[in-house]
Amino acid sequence: MIELAFPWALLLLPAPWLVARFAPPWREQAPALRFPFFHRVTSAAGVEPKAGSVIRARLRFQMAAAIIVWVLLVLALSWPERVGEPIELDKAARDLVLAVDISGSMDQRDFETADGTRIQRLQGVKDVVGRFIDKREGDRVSLIVFGSQAFMQAPFTEDLQTVRDLLDQTEVGMAGPHTVIGDAIGLAIRAFESSEIDKRLLVLLSDGQDTGSKMTPVNAAEVAASKGVQIFTIGVGDPDGEGENRVDPASLEDIATRAGGEFFFADDQEGLAAIYERIDELTPRDVETLTWRPRQPLAHWLLGLAALIALAATGWLEWQTGRRAVA
């Protein structure tokens, strides 16, 4: 399909006719000699005297070429375009940060699989979170890991396979043995500040309690809520543990409540998978679909054709003039 970007330019088509019809004729004055015996000279030369004004005759070929060139120029000015079939592009309408605790306590082998086998906590978490990432088609996902410090493992990206690979490469203790939940939330807030997407979700998983963040988790959650970040928290591990190895459900629930999310607890891999499925239901995939049509401009073809016709007409007229001069 061909469309005109500036169809109003077609109003210029009758412009030459209007000028020829209503504009005053163009006159040119030329110097002349006056002879008192003019009639004797013309009679002797055998020439019949005519009016002083001369109107140059235009050939039909010349007029046709001029009309065609003008039409082509006006059509080029209207900017015709060949419009292709519509193309749909899915654009992420939500940014998601996954914050995963990799402190020393995540090395405990007390996480049960569906068949009752006990595996390392972090390995069980990576299996479940990895499957959750695979379902995030349409979201921009970022990965944060934290222990004694919080680190941005993967910035926001739609390359889900890369995020999962980076998650699989994490090991217990890579970020230190302790747990800084507040700093992890703070790092997520800074990541969201570079985002232009309004819908922002943080899913934070931890098996311990905060042990020295620069900002308390509760204050960090309030800051996140003020910036439109919704937080879901997941507790894993042993609520009856001692010291840093004891998960703090009350604190995680308080964080989620202040940031408009929910708190969940899981003590095995099956329960954790159910939690992520529930989060998926509460925050379904949100995609903005953009539709556009490829456009190929055609004006240069019209301009080229007009130039060829003008050159051909000019060459033909010059050739005809040369023939008459020789004759």
Side-chain angles (χ1 to χ4, degrees), residues 97-108:
V97 173
L98 299 174
V100 179
D101 186 348
I102 59 171
S103 61
S105 56
M106 291 291 287
D107 196 33
Q108 298 291 325

Side-chain angles (χ1 to χ4, degrees), residues 61 64-77 80 298-314:
F61 171 79
I67 292 173
I68 293 174
V69 169
W70 175 252
V71 171
L72 291 175
L73 290 177
V74 172
L75 288 176
L77 188 61
L298 303 175
H300 60 284
W301 294 104
L302 299 177
L303 293 174
L305 182 59
L308 289 176
I309 293 175
L311 289 173
T314 302

Side-chain angles (χ1 to χ4, degrees), residues 42-64:
T42 58
S43 177
V47 178
E48 182 181 356
K50 298 180 179 180
S53 63
V54 176
I55 301 176
R56 295 180 179 178
R58 295 184 177 89
L59 302 176
R60 291 184 178 180
F61 171 79
Q62 185 180 5
M63 290 297 297

Side-chain angles (χ1 to χ4, degrees), residues 66-262:
I67 292 173
I68 293 174
V69 169
W70 175 252
V71 171
L72 291 175
L73 290 177
V74 172
L75 288 176
L77 188 61
S78 67
W79 201 257
E81 298 173 318
R82 186 189 303 277
V83 182
E85 294 297 324
I87 298 176
E88 292 188 354
L89 178 65
D90 290 340
K91 178 183 177 182
R94 180 181 62 191
D95 279 346
L96 169 65
V97 173
L98 299 174
V100 179
D101 186 348
I102 59 171
S103 61
S105 56
M106 291 291 287
D107 196 33
Q108 298 291 325
R109 304 186 68 85
D110 59 356
F111 217 61
E112 290 189 3
T113 62
D115 60 3
T117 304
R118 291 182 175 271
I119 61 175
Q120 183 196 52
R121 287 181 189 172
L122 180 59
Q123 186 57 53
V125 168
K126 289 195 294 186
D127 293 342
V128 175
V129 175
R131 292 193 294 270
F132 180 75
I133 292 174
D134 292 339
K135 299 178 181 179
R136 297 298 92 202
E137 187 70 31
D139 285 339
R140 291 203 316 163
V141 179
S142 173
L143 176 64
I144 291 176
V145 295
F146 63 95
S148 300
Q149 295 183 22
F151 295 96
M152 179 70 69
Q153 191 77 345
F156 284 118
T157 178
E158 295 183 37
D159 186 355
L160 303 181
Q161 185 59 51
T162 297
V163 177
R164 178 158 190 179
D165 290 343
L166 291 171
L167 173 65
D168 291 338
Q169 293 170 15
T170 59
E171 299 292 341
V172 172
M174 287 177 59
H178 305 299
T179 308
V180 286
I181 297 175
D183 290 351
I185 298 175
L187 182 57
I189 293 172
R190 287 196 294 273
F192 283 123
E193 288 177 349
S194 62
S195 170
E196 298 179 355
I197 298 178
D198 295 332
K199 296 183 179 181
R200 305 170 177 182
L201 175 64
L202 167 62
V203 180
L204 184 144
L205 181 145
S206 177
D207 73 336
Q209 54 184 319
D210 191 85
T211 56
S213 293
K214 297 177 181 178
M215 178 184 294
T216 64
V218 171
N219 290 339
E222 292 179 346
V223 173
S226 68
K227 296 183 178 296
V229 179
Q230 187 181 21
I231 302 178
F232 285 81
T233 56
I234 303 173
V236 296
D238 186 5
D240 299 325
E242 297 181 357
E244 297 180 4
N245 294 330
R246 175 182 171 273
V247 65
D248 188 359
S251 177
L252 293 175
E253 184 174 8
D254 194 11
I255 293 170
T257 301
R258 292 174 184 269
E262 291 188 26

